[in-house]
PDB file of all heavy atoms in Angstrom:
ATOM      1  N   ARG A 271       5.527  -4.456  -3.344  1.00 96.00           N
ATOM      2  CA  ARG A 271       6.612  -5.370  -3.049  1.00 96.00           C
ATOM      3  C   ARG A 271       7.628  -4.666  -2.151  1.00 96.00           C
ATOM      4  O   ARG A 271       7.885  -3.467  -2.292  1.00 96.00           O
ATOM      5  CB  ARG A 271       7.296  -5.828  -4.334  1.00 96.00           C
ATOM      6  CG  ARG A 271       6.429  -6.681  -5.236  1.00 96.00           C
ATOM      7  CD  ARG A 271       6.295  -8.105  -4.741  1.00 96.00           C
ATOM      8  NE  ARG A 271       7.593  -8.804  -4.723  1.00 96.00           N
ATOM      9  CZ  ARG A 271       7.764 -10.040  -4.248  1.00 96.00           C
ATOM     10  NH1 ARG A 271       6.734 -10.710  -3.739  1.00 96.00           N
ATOM     11  NH2 ARG A 271       8.949 -10.602  -4.268  1.00 96.00           N
ATOM     12  N   THR A 272       8.190  -5.383  -1.186  1.00 94.00           N
ATOM     13  CA  THR A 272       9.174  -4.800  -0.289  1.00 94.00           C
ATOM     14  C   THR A 272      10.340  -4.223  -1.093  1.00 94.00           C
ATOM     15  O   THR A 272      10.881  -4.879  -1.983  1.00 94.00           O
ATOM     16  CB  THR A 272       9.676  -5.862   0.697  1.00 94.00           C
ATOM     17  OG1 THR A 272       8.567  -6.282   1.497  1.00 94.00           O
ATOM     18  CG2 THR A 272      10.756  -5.299   1.613  1.00 94.00           C
ATOM     19  N   GLY A 273      10.670  -2.968  -0.792  1.00 94.00           N
ATOM     20  CA  GLY A 273      11.731  -2.289  -1.519  1.00 94.00           C
ATOM     21  C   GLY A 273      11.239  -1.432  -2.656  1.00 94.00           C
ATOM     22  O   GLY A 273      11.997  -0.620  -3.197  1.00 94.00           O
ATOM     23  N   SER A 274       9.968  -1.596  -3.035  1.00 95.00           N
ATOM     24  CA  SER A 274       9.371  -0.794  -4.094  1.00 95.00           C
ATOM     25  C   SER A 274       8.524   0.320  -3.483  1.00 95.00           C
ATOM     26  O   SER A 274       8.125   0.230  -2.319  1.00 95.00           O
ATOM     27  CB  SER A 274       8.507  -1.658  -5.014  1.00 95.00           C
ATOM     28  OG  SER A 274       9.291  -2.629  -5.678  1.00 95.00           O
ATOM     29  N   PRO A 275       8.210   1.355  -4.248  1.00 92.00           N
ATOM     30  CA  PRO A 275       7.436   2.465  -3.692  1.00 92.00           C
ATOM     31  C   PRO A 275       6.030   2.029  -3.273  1.00 92.00           C
ATOM     32  O   PRO A 275       5.429   1.140  -3.881  1.00 92.00           O
ATOM     33  CB  PRO A 275       7.359   3.468  -4.857  1.00 92.00           C
ATOM     34  CG  PRO A 275       8.464   3.082  -5.780  1.00 92.00           C
ATOM     35  CD  PRO A 275       8.636   1.607  -5.642  1.00 92.00           C
ATOM     36  N   ALA A 276       5.505   2.671  -2.222  1.00 93.00           N
ATOM     37  CA  ALA A 276       4.110   2.466  -1.848  1.00 93.00           C
ATOM     38  C   ALA A 276       3.223   2.926  -2.991  1.00 93.00           C
ATOM     39  O   ALA A 276       3.610   3.772  -3.799  1.00 93.00           O
ATOM     40  CB  ALA A 276       3.793   3.243  -0.569  1.00 93.00           C
ATOM     41  N   THR A 277       2.034   2.341  -3.085  1.00 95.00           N
ATOM     42  CA  THR A 277       1.158   2.615  -4.222  1.00 95.00           C
ATOM     43  C   THR A 277       0.004   3.528  -3.821  1.00 95.00           C
ATOM     44  O   THR A 277      -0.541   3.419  -2.723  1.00 95.00           O
ATOM     45  CB  THR A 277       0.607   1.306  -4.811  1.00 95.00           C
ATOM     46  OG1 THR A 277      -0.048   0.556  -3.770  1.00 95.00           O
ATOM     47  CG2 THR A 277       1.734   0.466  -5.391  1.00 95.00           C
ATOM     48  N   SER A 278      -0.386   4.400  -4.753  1.00 95.00           N
ATOM     49  CA  SER A 278      -1.476   5.335  -4.486  1.00 95.00           C
ATOM     50  C   SER A 278      -2.696   5.058  -5.353  1.00 95.00           C
ATOM     51  O   SER A 278      -3.693   5.766  -5.258  1.00 95.00           O
ATOM     52  CB  SER A 278      -1.001   6.776  -4.694  1.00 95.00           C
ATOM     53  OG  SER A 278      -0.511   6.948  -6.009  1.00 95.00           O
ATOM     54  N   THR A 279      -2.638   4.017  -6.205  1.00 97.00           N
ATOM     55  CA  THR A 279      -3.808   3.592  -6.981  1.00 97.00           C
ATOM     56  C   THR A 279      -3.875   2.070  -6.976  1.00 97.00           C
ATOM     57  O   THR A 279      -2.861   1.381  -6.779  1.00 97.00           O
ATOM     58  CB  THR A 279      -3.755   4.077  -8.441  1.00 97.00           C
ATOM     59  OG1 THR A 279      -2.698   3.393  -9.127  1.00 97.00           O
ATOM     60  CG2 THR A 279      -3.537   5.581  -8.525  1.00 97.00           C
ATOM     61  N   ALA A 280      -5.072   1.548  -7.238  1.00 97.00           N
ATOM     62  CA  ALA A 280      -5.243   0.095  -7.322  1.00 97.00           C
ATOM     63  C   ALA A 280      -4.457  -0.472  -8.504  1.00 97.00           C
ATOM     64  O   ALA A 280      -3.903  -1.571  -8.424  1.00 97.00           O
ATOM     65  CB  ALA A 280      -6.721  -0.246  -7.449  1.00 97.00           C
ATOM     66  N   ALA A 281      -4.394   0.287  -9.598  1.00 97.00           N
ATOM     67  CA  ALA A 281      -3.657  -0.184 -10.772  1.00 97.00           C
ATOM     68  C   ALA A 281      -2.173  -0.323 -10.469  1.00 97.00           C
ATOM     69  O   ALA A 281      -1.520  -1.296 -10.891  1.00 97.00           O
ATOM     70  CB  ALA A 281      -3.874   0.767 -11.944  1.00 97.00           C
ATOM     71  N   ASP A 282      -1.617   0.623  -9.720  1.00 97.00           N
ATOM     72  CA  ASP A 282      -0.209   0.525  -9.324  1.00 97.00           C
ATOM     73  C   ASP A 282       0.020  -0.708  -8.454  1.00 97.00           C
ATOM     74  O   ASP A 282       1.015  -1.417  -8.602  1.00 97.00           O
ATOM     75  CB  ASP A 282       0.209   1.773  -8.551  1.00 97.00           C
ATOM     76  CG  ASP A 282       0.314   3.008  -9.431  1.00 97.00           C
ATOM     77  OD1 ASP A 282       0.373   2.852 -10.667  1.00 97.00           O
ATOM     78  OD2 ASP A 282       0.320   4.128  -8.875  1.00 97.00           O
ATOM     79  N   ALA A 283      -0.907  -0.964  -7.537  1.00 97.00           N
ATOM     80  CA  ALA A 283      -0.788  -2.136  -6.674  1.00 97.00           C
ATOM     81  C   ALA A 283      -0.857  -3.417  -7.490  1.00 97.00           C
ATOM     82  O   ALA A 283      -0.085  -4.367  -7.262  1.00 97.00           O
ATOM     83  CB  ALA A 283      -1.882  -2.121  -5.609  1.00 97.00           C
ATOM     84  N   ALA A 284      -1.774  -3.464  -8.469  1.00 98.00           N
ATOM     85  CA  ALA A 284      -1.927  -4.655  -9.303  1.00 98.00           C
ATOM     86  C   ALA A 284      -0.661  -4.921 -10.119  1.00 98.00           C
ATOM     87  O   ALA A 284      -0.273  -6.081 -10.340  1.00 98.00           O
ATOM     88  CB  ALA A 284      -3.124  -4.499 -10.227  1.00 98.00           C
ATOM     89  N   GLU A 285       0.000  -3.863 -10.541  1.00 97.00           N
ATOM     90  CA  GLU A 285       1.220  -4.014 -11.325  1.00 97.00           C
ATOM     91  C   GLU A 285       2.312  -4.687 -10.492  1.00 97.00           C
ATOM     92  O   GLU A 285       3.099  -5.476 -11.012  1.00 97.00           O
ATOM     93  CB  GLU A 285       1.694  -2.642 -11.811  1.00 97.00           C
ATOM     94  CG  GLU A 285       2.859  -2.710 -12.785  1.00 97.00           C
ATOM     95  CD  GLU A 285       3.172  -1.363 -13.396  1.00 97.00           C
ATOM     96  OE1 GLU A 285       2.238  -0.556 -13.568  1.00 97.00           O
ATOM     97  OE2 GLU A 285       4.354  -1.128 -13.686  1.00 97.00           O
ATOM     98  N   GLN A 286       2.340  -4.387  -9.195  1.00 97.00           N
ATOM     99  CA  GLN A 286       3.369  -4.970  -8.325  1.00 97.00           C
ATOM    100  C   GLN A 286       2.986  -6.342  -7.783  1.00 97.00           C
ATOM    101  O   GLN A 286       3.844  -7.209  -7.622  1.00 97.00           O
ATOM    102  CB  GLN A 286       3.664  -4.023  -7.158  1.00 97.00           C
ATOM    103  CG  GLN A 286       4.352  -2.730  -7.555  1.00 97.00           C
ATOM    104  CD  GLN A 286       4.961  -2.029  -6.359  1.00 97.00           C
ATOM    105  OE1 GLN A 286       5.518  -2.656  -5.465  1.00 97.00           O
ATOM    106  NE2 GLN A 286       4.849  -0.701  -6.337  1.00 97.00           N
ATOM    107  N   LEU A 287       1.705  -6.547  -7.482  1.00 98.00           N
ATOM    108  CA  LEU A 287       1.288  -7.743  -6.739  1.00 98.00           C
ATOM    109  C   LEU A 287       0.577  -8.783  -7.595  1.00 98.00           C
ATOM    110  O   LEU A 287       0.531  -9.955  -7.219  1.00 98.00           O
ATOM    111  CB  LEU A 287       0.389  -7.327  -5.568  1.00 98.00           C
ATOM    112  CG  LEU A 287       1.061  -6.397  -4.544  1.00 98.00           C
ATOM    113  CD1 LEU A 287       0.035  -5.835  -3.576  1.00 98.00           C
ATOM    114  CD2 LEU A 287       2.173  -7.124  -3.797  1.00 98.00           C
ATOM    115  N   GLY A 288      -0.010  -8.381  -8.709  1.00 97.00           N
ATOM    116  CA  GLY A 288      -0.575  -9.304  -9.681  1.00 97.00           C
ATOM    117  C   GLY A 288      -1.566 -10.301  -9.116  1.00 97.00           C
ATOM    118  O   GLY A 288      -2.446  -9.956  -8.320  1.00 97.00           O
ATOM    119  N   ASP A 289      -1.399 -11.568  -9.517  1.00 96.00           N
ATOM    120  CA  ASP A 289      -2.354 -12.616  -9.156  1.00 96.00           C
ATOM    121  C   ASP A 289      -2.243 -13.082  -7.711  1.00 96.00           C
ATOM    122  O   ASP A 289      -3.025 -13.942  -7.283  1.00 96.00           O
ATOM    123  CB  ASP A 289      -2.172 -13.823 -10.082  1.00 96.00           C
ATOM    124  CG  ASP A 289      -2.571 -13.505 -11.515  1.00 96.00           C
ATOM    125  OD1 ASP A 289      -3.373 -12.574 -11.710  1.00 96.00           O
ATOM    126  OD2 ASP A 289      -2.076 -14.190 -12.441  1.00 96.00           O
ATOM    127  N   ALA A 290      -1.298 -12.546  -6.943  1.00 97.00           N
ATOM    128  CA  ALA A 290      -1.196 -12.917  -5.528  1.00 97.00           C
ATOM    129  C   ALA A 290      -2.397 -12.402  -4.736  1.00 97.00           C
ATOM    130  O   ALA A 290      -2.684 -12.891  -3.643  1.00 97.00           O
ATOM    131  CB  ALA A 290       0.097 -12.381  -4.922  1.00 97.00           C
ATOM    132  N   VAL A 291      -3.101 -11.435  -5.317  1.00 98.00           N
ATOM    133  CA  VAL A 291      -4.241 -10.811  -4.648  1.00 98.00           C
ATOM    134  C   VAL A 291      -5.526 -11.242  -5.326  1.00 98.00           C
ATOM    135  O   VAL A 291      -5.636 -11.220  -6.560  1.00 98.00           O
ATOM    136  CB  VAL A 291      -4.112  -9.274  -4.676  1.00 98.00           C
ATOM    137  CG1 VAL A 291      -5.373  -8.594  -4.169  1.00 98.00           C
ATOM    138  CG2 VAL A 291      -2.895  -8.837  -3.856  1.00 98.00           C
ATOM    139  N   ALA A 292      -6.527 -11.633  -4.506  1.00 98.00           N
ATOM    140  CA  ALA A 292      -7.787 -12.128  -5.060  1.00 98.00           C
ATOM    141  C   ALA A 292      -8.691 -11.002  -5.547  1.00 98.00           C
ATOM    142  O   ALA A 292      -9.345 -11.129  -6.582  1.00 98.00           O
ATOM    143  CB  ALA A 292      -8.521 -12.969  -4.012  1.00 98.00           C
ATOM    144  N   VAL A 293      -8.766  -9.903  -4.793  1.00 98.00           N
ATOM    145  CA  VAL A 293      -9.679  -8.805  -5.129  1.00 98.00           C
ATOM    146  C   VAL A 293      -8.955  -7.469  -4.947  1.00 98.00           C
ATOM    147  O   VAL A 293      -8.340  -7.225  -3.899  1.00 98.00           O
ATOM    148  CB  VAL A 293     -10.946  -8.828  -4.237  1.00 98.00           C
ATOM    149  CG1 VAL A 293     -11.809  -7.595  -4.482  1.00 98.00           C
ATOM    150  CG2 VAL A 293     -11.755 -10.090  -4.494  1.00 98.00           C
ATOM    151  N   TYR A 294      -9.049  -6.639  -5.977  1.00 98.00           N
ATOM    152  CA  TYR A 294      -8.526  -5.272  -5.911  1.00 98.00           C
ATOM    153  C   TYR A 294      -9.691  -4.303  -5.824  1.00 98.00           C
ATOM    154  O   TYR A 294     -10.500  -4.214  -6.752  1.00 98.00           O
ATOM    155  CB  TYR A 294      -7.695  -4.949  -7.157  1.00 98.00           C
ATOM    156  CG  TYR A 294      -6.339  -5.611  -7.193  1.00 98.00           C
ATOM    157  CD1 TYR A 294      -6.197  -6.907  -7.697  1.00 98.00           C
ATOM    158  CD2 TYR A 294      -5.197  -4.953  -6.732  1.00 98.00           C
ATOM    159  CE1 TYR A 294      -4.956  -7.519  -7.738  1.00 98.00           C
ATOM    160  CE2 TYR A 294      -3.950  -5.563  -6.776  1.00 98.00           C
ATOM    161  CZ  TYR A 294      -3.837  -6.833  -7.283  1.00 98.00           C
ATOM    162  OH  TYR A 294      -2.601  -7.450  -7.318  1.00 98.00           O
ATOM    163  N   LEU A 295      -9.772  -3.564  -4.728  1.00 98.00           N
ATOM    164  CA  LEU A 295     -10.792  -2.528  -4.575  1.00 98.00           C
ATOM    165  C   LEU A 295     -10.210  -1.209  -5.079  1.00 98.00           C
ATOM    166  O   LEU A 295      -9.205  -0.718  -4.546  1.00 98.00           O
ATOM    167  CB  LEU A 295     -11.207  -2.389  -3.109  1.00 98.00           C
ATOM    168  CG  LEU A 295     -11.921  -3.584  -2.481  1.00 98.00           C
ATOM    169  CD1 LEU A 295     -12.252  -3.297  -1.021  1.00 98.00           C
ATOM    170  CD2 LEU A 295     -13.186  -3.940  -3.252  1.00 98.00           C
ATOM    171  N   ASP A 296     -10.851  -0.655  -6.084  1.00 97.00           N
ATOM    172  CA  ASP A 296     -10.374   0.574  -6.699  1.00 97.00           C
ATOM    173  C   ASP A 296     -11.150   1.761  -6.139  1.00 97.00           C
ATOM    174  O   ASP A 296     -12.295   1.996  -6.499  1.00 97.00           O
ATOM    175  CB  ASP A 296     -10.542   0.494  -8.220  1.00 97.00           C
ATOM    176  CG  ASP A 296     -10.007   1.715  -8.940  1.00 97.00           C
ATOM    177  OD1 ASP A 296      -9.450   2.608  -8.260  1.00 97.00           O
ATOM    178  OD2 ASP A 296     -10.132   1.781 -10.174  1.00 97.00           O
ATOM    179  N   GLY A 297     -10.502   2.495  -5.252  1.00 96.00           N
ATOM    180  CA  GLY A 297     -11.124   3.675  -4.677  1.00 96.00           C
ATOM    181  C   GLY A 297     -10.598   4.967  -5.260  1.00 96.00           C
ATOM    182  O   GLY A 297     -10.781   6.029  -4.661  1.00 96.00           O
ATOM    183  N   GLY A 298      -9.932   4.880  -6.422  1.00 95.00           N
ATOM    184  CA  GLY A 298      -9.333   6.061  -7.009  1.00 95.00           C
ATOM    185  C   GLY A 298      -8.004   6.379  -6.356  1.00 95.00           C
ATOM    186  O   GLY A 298      -7.408   5.546  -5.656  1.00 95.00           O
ATOM    187  N   GLN A 299      -7.518   7.564  -6.583  1.00 95.00           N
ATOM    188  CA  GLN A 299      -6.238   8.002  -6.028  1.00 95.00           C
ATOM    189  C   GLN A 299      -6.319   8.057  -4.507  1.00 95.00           C
ATOM    190  O   GLN A 299      -7.241   8.639  -3.941  1.00 95.00           O
ATOM    191  CB  GLN A 299      -5.888   9.385  -6.571  1.00 95.00           C
ATOM    192  CG  GLN A 299      -4.562   9.949  -6.095  1.00 95.00           C
ATOM    193  CD  GLN A 299      -3.378   9.424  -6.876  1.00 95.00           C
ATOM    194  OE1 GLN A 299      -3.530   8.963  -7.998  1.00 95.00           O
ATOM    195  NE2 GLN A 299      -2.200   9.493  -6.292  1.00 95.00           N
ATOM    196  N   ALA A 300      -5.344   7.434  -3.826  1.00 93.00           N
ATOM    197  CA  ALA A 300      -5.287   7.542  -2.365  1.00 93.00           C
ATOM    198  C   ALA A 300      -5.049   9.000  -2.004  1.00 93.00           C
ATOM    199  O   ALA A 300      -4.113   9.628  -2.514  1.00 93.00           O
ATOM    200  CB  ALA A 300      -4.176   6.661  -1.806  1.00 93.00           C
ATOM    201  N   PRO A 301      -5.860   9.567  -1.123  1.00 89.00           N
ATOM    202  CA  PRO A 301      -5.793  11.014  -0.885  1.00 89.00           C
ATOM    203  C   PRO A 301      -4.529  11.476  -0.173  1.00 89.00           C
ATOM    204  O   PRO A 301      -4.082  12.599  -0.366  1.00 89.00           O
ATOM    205  CB  PRO A 301      -7.037  11.290  -0.041  1.00 89.00           C
ATOM    206  CG  PRO A 301      -7.383   9.989   0.593  1.00 89.00           C
ATOM    207  CD  PRO A 301      -6.964   8.931  -0.392  1.00 89.00           C
ATOM    208  N   GLY A 302      -3.936  10.583   0.652  1.00 83.00           N
ATOM    209  CA  GLY A 302      -2.782  11.015   1.441  1.00 83.00           C
ATOM    210  C   GLY A 302      -1.474  10.892   0.697  1.00 83.00           C
ATOM    211  O   GLY A 302      -0.733  11.857   0.519  1.00 83.00           O
ATOM    212  N   GLY A 303      -1.176   9.680   0.242  1.00 79.00           N
ATOM    213  CA  GLY A 303       0.061   9.433  -0.471  1.00 79.00           C
ATOM    214  C   GLY A 303       1.276   9.304   0.421  1.00 79.00           C
ATOM    215  O   GLY A 303       2.385   9.045  -0.060  1.00 79.00           O
ATOM    216  N   VAL A 304       1.108   9.469   1.718  1.00 88.00           N
ATOM    217  CA  VAL A 304       2.202   9.353   2.684  1.00 88.00           C
ATOM    218  C   VAL A 304       1.801   8.311   3.714  1.00 88.00           C
ATOM    219  O   VAL A 304       0.667   8.308   4.195  1.00 88.00           O
ATOM    220  CB  VAL A 304       2.479  10.706   3.390  1.00 88.00           C
ATOM    221  CG1 VAL A 304       3.579  10.558   4.416  1.00 88.00           C
ATOM    222  CG2 VAL A 304       2.836  11.775   2.370  1.00 88.00           C
ATOM    223  N   ALA A 305       2.721   7.420   4.047  1.00 89.00           N
ATOM    224  CA  ALA A 305       2.434   6.369   5.022  1.00 89.00           C
ATOM    225  C   ALA A 305       2.113   6.969   6.392  1.00 89.00           C
ATOM    226  O   ALA A 305       2.455   8.120   6.690  1.00 89.00           O
ATOM    227  CB  ALA A 305       3.619   5.423   5.124  1.00 89.00           C
ATOM    228  N   SER A 306       1.459   6.170   7.233  1.00 94.00           N
ATOM    229  CA  SER A 306       1.075   6.645   8.559  1.00 94.00           C
ATOM    230  C   SER A 306       2.302   6.868   9.441  1.00 94.00           C
ATOM    231  O   SER A 306       3.358   6.264   9.260  1.00 94.00           O
ATOM    232  CB  SER A 306       0.142   5.639   9.232  1.00 94.00           C
ATOM    233  OG  SER A 306       0.819   4.424   9.485  1.00 94.00           O
ATOM    234  N   THR A 307       2.148   7.760  10.399  1.00 96.00           N
ATOM    235  CA  THR A 307       3.130   7.925  11.467  1.00 96.00           C
ATOM    236  C   THR A 307       2.966   6.760  12.440  1.00 96.00           C
ATOM    237  O   THR A 307       1.845   6.353  12.744  1.00 96.00           O
ATOM    238  CB  THR A 307       2.901   9.261  12.190  1.00 96.00           C
ATOM    239  OG1 THR A 307       3.128  10.318  11.251  1.00 96.00           O
ATOM    240  CG2 THR A 307       3.812   9.420  13.380  1.00 96.00           C
ATOM    241  N   ILE A 308       4.083   6.227  12.923  1.00 96.00           N
ATOM    242  CA  ILE A 308       4.037   5.111  13.872  1.00 96.00           C
ATOM    243  C   ILE A 308       4.590   5.573  15.221  1.00 96.00           C
ATOM    244  O   ILE A 308       5.689   6.137  15.295  1.00 96.00           O
ATOM    245  CB  ILE A 308       4.832   3.898  13.372  1.00 96.00           C
ATOM    246  CG1 ILE A 308       4.287   3.415  12.023  1.00 96.00           C
ATOM    247  CG2 ILE A 308       4.772   2.761  14.399  1.00 96.00           C
ATOM    248  CD1 ILE A 308       5.055   2.237  11.436  1.00 96.00           C
ATOM    249  N   VAL A 309       3.811   5.305  16.280  1.00 97.00           N
ATOM    250  CA  VAL A 309       4.215   5.618  17.647  1.00 97.00           C
ATOM    251  C   VAL A 309       4.287   4.324  18.442  1.00 97.00           C
ATOM    252  O   VAL A 309       3.357   3.506  18.411  1.00 97.00           O
ATOM    253  CB  VAL A 309       3.214   6.587  18.302  1.00 97.00           C
ATOM    254  CG1 VAL A 309       3.481   6.713  19.804  1.00 97.00           C
ATOM    255  CG2 VAL A 309       3.280   7.949  17.634  1.00 97.00           C
ATOM    256  N   ASP A 310       5.396   4.126  19.146  1.00 97.00           N
ATOM    257  CA  ASP A 310       5.577   2.950  20.003  1.00 97.00           C
ATOM    258  C   ASP A 310       5.094   3.283  21.407  1.00 97.00           C
ATOM    259  O   ASP A 310       5.616   4.205  22.052  1.00 97.00           O
ATOM    260  CB  ASP A 310       7.057   2.555  20.026  1.00 97.00           C
ATOM    261  CG  ASP A 310       7.316   1.262  20.788  1.00 97.00           C
ATOM    262  OD1 ASP A 310       6.364   0.720  21.409  1.00 97.00           O
ATOM    263  OD2 ASP A 310       8.456   0.783  20.779  1.00 97.00           O
ATOM    264  N   ALA A 311       4.095   2.522  21.871  1.00 97.00           N
ATOM    265  CA  ALA A 311       3.527   2.749  23.206  1.00 97.00           C
ATOM    266  C   ALA A 311       3.853   1.617  24.154  1.00 97.00           C
ATOM    267  O   ALA A 311       3.175   1.434  25.166  1.00 97.00           O
ATOM    268  CB  ALA A 311       2.018   2.926  23.102  1.00 97.00           C
ATOM    269  N   THR A 312       4.888   0.822  23.851  1.00 96.00           N
ATOM    270  CA  THR A 312       5.210  -0.335  24.685  1.00 96.00           C
ATOM    271  C   THR A 312       6.272  -0.035  25.732  1.00 96.00           C
ATOM    272  O   THR A 312       6.553  -0.874  26.574  1.00 96.00           O
ATOM    273  CB  THR A 312       5.683  -1.513  23.816  1.00 96.00           C
ATOM    274  OG1 THR A 312       6.898  -1.153  23.136  1.00 96.00           O
ATOM    275  CG2 THR A 312       4.625  -1.896  22.795  1.00 96.00           C
ATOM    276  N   ALA A 313       6.874   1.152  25.669  1.00 92.00           N
ATOM    277  CA  ALA A 313       7.877   1.564  26.649  1.00 92.00           C
ATOM    278  C   ALA A 313       7.253   2.571  27.601  1.00 92.00           C
ATOM    279  O   ALA A 313       6.130   3.036  27.386  1.00 92.00           O
ATOM    280  CB  ALA A 313       9.094   2.161  25.934  1.00 92.00           C
ATOM    281  N   PRO A 314       7.969   2.943  28.686  1.00 91.00           N
ATOM    282  CA  PRO A 314       7.389   3.897  29.634  1.00 91.00           C
ATOM    283  C   PRO A 314       7.029   5.245  29.009  1.00 91.00           C
ATOM    284  O   PRO A 314       6.099   5.919  29.465  1.00 91.00           O
ATOM    285  CB  PRO A 314       8.502   4.063  30.677  1.00 91.00           C
ATOM    286  CG  PRO A 314       9.258   2.768  30.629  1.00 91.00           C
ATOM    287  CD  PRO A 314       9.228   2.350  29.193  1.00 91.00           C
TER     288      PRO A 314
END
């Protein structure tokens, strides 16, 4: 949910998002735990 911490397990995601999601794929602990770096390539 916006404003809540990013999730590193499917169970954590299910706790926040519940029935809004049709299928939860459980791949175990997310190995990174840190969001991606974002680069803007739309400027010169």
